[in-house]
Amino acid sequence: MANRRGNPNWGKPLLHSSSSSSESEFEKQVRQLKLTERDCAASDQLRLWCEENKNRVYIPESLLKHWGISVNPYVSD
């Protein structure tokens, strides 16, 4: 009987889930709210989420400027 050691999936392509692992929290929120890029600035729900998470996650600068939200770069969680 042969000794079966090692990774049996070696060389096989990785299976990806429906959401990309490189997707940011902001992008996940936009997708969850079913917003297009044009709808983001007009969304009150997204603006509130951004205000709550402004020091924790990446939010595009253009939206921060549009809503007048300032970020404290020295906050750490």
Side-chain angles (χ1 to χ4, degrees), residues 2-56:
N3 188 1
R4 298 213 172 233
R5 296 179 56 185
N7 184 350
N9 294 318
W10 180 259
K12 294 181 182 175
L14 296 174
L15 299 177
H16 296 286
S17 64
S18 61
S19 65
S20 173
S21 61
S22 63
E23 187 176 49
S24 71
E25 290 294 319
F26 174 80
E27 291 168 329
K28 289 177 186 176
Q29 187 65 25
V30 169
R31 185 173 39 85
Q32 183 179 353
L33 293 172
K34 298 180 175 130
L35 298 172
T36 65
E37 191 173 328
R38 294 180 60 189
D39 297 334
C40 288
S43 172
D44 289 333
Q45 285 180 307
L46 184 61
R47 182 181 50 80
L48 291 173
W49 183 88
C50 289
E51 286 177 354
E52 292 172 5
N53 296 285
K54 65 183 179 184
N55 294 316
R56 190 179 68 81

Side-chain angles (χ1 to χ4, degrees), residues 51-64:
E51 286 177 354
E52 292 172 5
N53 296 285
K54 65 183 179 184
N55 294 316
R56 190 179 68 81
V57 300
Y58 168 78
I59 300 168
E61 283 188 52
S62 59
L63 285 176
L64 293 172

